[in-house]
Amino acid sequence: MIRHRLLIALCVLLFSSFALADQTGPKRRVLAGDYSGGKKRLAIVDADGKILWEQKINNIHDVHLLDSGNILYQSDWTRIVETDKDGKIVWEYDAAKMNGNSGKRIEVHAIQRLSDGLTMIVESGSGRIIEVDKDGKIQKEIKLKLNKPSVHRDTRNARKLDNGNYLVAHEGDGMVREYDGDGKVVWEYETKTQVYSAVRLKNGNTLIGNGGASNVIEVTPKGDVVWKLSKNDLPGITLAWITQVSRLENGNTVVVNCHAGPDNPQVFEVTGDKKVVWSFKDFTNFGNATPVAVVLDENGKLVK
């Protein structure tokens, strides 16, 4: 009897340690971050849910796989970290202490390593975008337009565009704004809801992840909606707090579906005619607060 119980306990332990991730479509790796209680993990997992790389985090709203193979991310709302494939920290920056922020309430929800080696940091609370060098010194700064200033909700994701402008999702204002290099608003789109992300497409349109509206939209420069993925458009999948979105070279859209519960995938890829061709659900390694994800192929290369 004792031996039988030990065998059962061993099987349970092995199952919990190597529980399979639920993927449909091609086998892929996923770099994802979850800040829910008991998880608080940024990790790369393979198609079977095996953890290949892992770092502990507190809060996270942005992550990047760099060309070097290093990973740039937040470990909390103010600390920005770059680590190599072995988990060694090669660069870090604390927005709560640097560049005049000591004693102020600051949160960072968007970061980006730029082609010139500078790091873009978008600060909520101070309402600014800064670009810093490897020593943390500001090389450029622009102020943001804020109708409803909020330390936590001034911004979510933002990206510097190839033309030098900045595309910013303002969660609290319910606006996507494009700023030029001098900080002038040159384009804006009102989402009328809490917005998480905006990506400028090659065709000039903008792909928007509307957290509060539980949808994804593509809008033209004139503001016309030419594609929309709504909450209940996909059989068997309910869209919840939509966070990061991206458009692949094949025309499909990758969507991060946060706070949707264990019955729904945390990440999926959908065609223009709304057919799901890949999905990822892993509530063993991650939880219901997974707002960031980068999709990789089986060799660890970015799926483009």
Side-chain angles (χ1 to χ4, degrees):
M1 180 64 72
I2 294 176
R3 182 180 298 177
H4 181 66
R5 289 176 178 174
L6 287 174
L7 181 60
I8 293 175
L10 179 60
C11 289
V12 171
L13 178 61
L14 287 173
F15 181 79
S16 64
S17 299
F18 299 98
L20 300 181
D22 184 4
Q23 284 200 38
T24 64
K27 289 187 176 181
R28 290 170 170 170
R29 299 178 182 181
V30 176
L31 165 62
D34 177 89
Y35 59 84
S36 58
K39 302 293 184 180
K40 295 192 177 297
R41 166 185 288 140
L42 177 67
I44 298 175
V45 299
D46 67 12
D48 294 325
K50 179 182 177 182
I51 294 177
L52 306 176
W53 178 95
E54 178 182 13
Q55 292 292 308
K56 291 297 181 182
I57 58 168
N58 188 24
N59 295 298
I60 190 167
H61 268 168
D62 208 357
V63 63
H64 299 267
L65 177 66
L66 304 180
D67 291 340
S68 64
N70 292 352
I71 297 173
L72 182 68
Y73 62 97
Q74 305 153 267
S75 62
D76 58 36
W77 291 145
T78 62
R79 185 170 177 259
I80 301 158
V81 181
E82 179 186 347
T83 61
D84 64 16
K85 62 181 180 179
D86 298 317
K88 179 182 177 182
I89 296 175
V90 298
W91 185 80
E92 61 181 317
Y93 179 95
D94 191 342
K97 300 177 181 178
M98 299 289 289
N99 294 309
N101 288 338
S102 182
K104 299 179 181 179
R105 288 189 60 209
I106 299 292
E107 290 188 12
V108 174
H109 303 278
I111 53 177
Q112 184 181 355
R113 177 62 47 76
L114 305 178
S115 59
D116 57 8
L118 300 180
T119 302
M120 182 191 77
I121 301 169
V122 184
E123 296 179 351
S124 291
S126 63
R128 65 178 182 174
I129 296 175
I130 59 174
E131 296 179 11
V132 302
D133 62 20
K134 63 180 181 179
D135 297 317
K137 296 180 180 179
I138 294 178
Q139 302 301 308
K140 187 170 185 177
E141 176 179 352
I142 70 166
K143 295 296 292 183
L144 298 173
K145 177 182 178 181
L146 299 168
N147 296 335
K148 302 174 183 178
S150 167
V151 173
H152 186 62
R153 300 175 61 208
D154 281 349
T155 62
R156 282 300 179 260
N157 279 184
R159 297 292 181 258
K160 188 169 187 178
L161 306 177
D162 291 340
N163 63 3
N165 291 356
Y166 304 86
L167 191 63
V168 182
H170 291 277
E171 184 185 71
D173 284 357
M175 298 287 293
V176 175
R177 295 189 177 100
E178 179 180 349
Y179 300 82
D180 68 14
D182 296 321
K184 179 183 177 181
V185 176
V186 295
W187 181 83
E188 62 182 7
Y189 179 83
E190 184 177 8
T191 63
K192 298 180 181 180
T193 187
Q194 297 176 74
V195 58
Y196 192 100
S197 61
V199 179
R200 181 60 44 79
L201 304 178
K202 291 181 179 180
N203 63 8
N205 293 347
T206 302
L207 189 68
I208 298 173
N210 269 326
S214 301
N215 66 30
V216 184
I217 58 175
E218 178 183 343
V219 301
T220 67
K222 293 183 178 180
D224 298 323
V225 176
V226 294
W227 186 77
K228 184 176 183 180
L229 184 67
S230 297
K231 183 175 184 177
N232 298 306
D233 280 352
L234 304 176
I237 297 177
T238 301
L239 275 61
W241 198 266
I242 300 303
T243 55
Q244 296 186 320
V245 294
S246 61
R247 178 66 50 81
L248 302 181
E249 292 177 355
N250 62 11
N252 294 348
T253 301
V254 174
V255 180
V256 182
N257 190 26
C258 191
H259 304 319
D263 292 333
N264 295 288
Q266 291 129 316
V267 194
F268 61 86
E269 177 187 343
V270 62
T271 65
D273 55 359
K274 302 180 183 181
K275 294 180 180 178
V276 177
V277 295
W278 173 83
S279 65
F280 170 86
K281 181 170 65 173
D282 183 347
F283 278 81
T284 299
N285 295 310
F286 307 103
N288 202 38
T290 302
V292 298
V294 177
V295 182
L296 314 172
D297 63 21
E298 285 193 286
N299 298 313
K301 301 297 183 180
L302 185 68
V303 173
K304 299 181 179 180

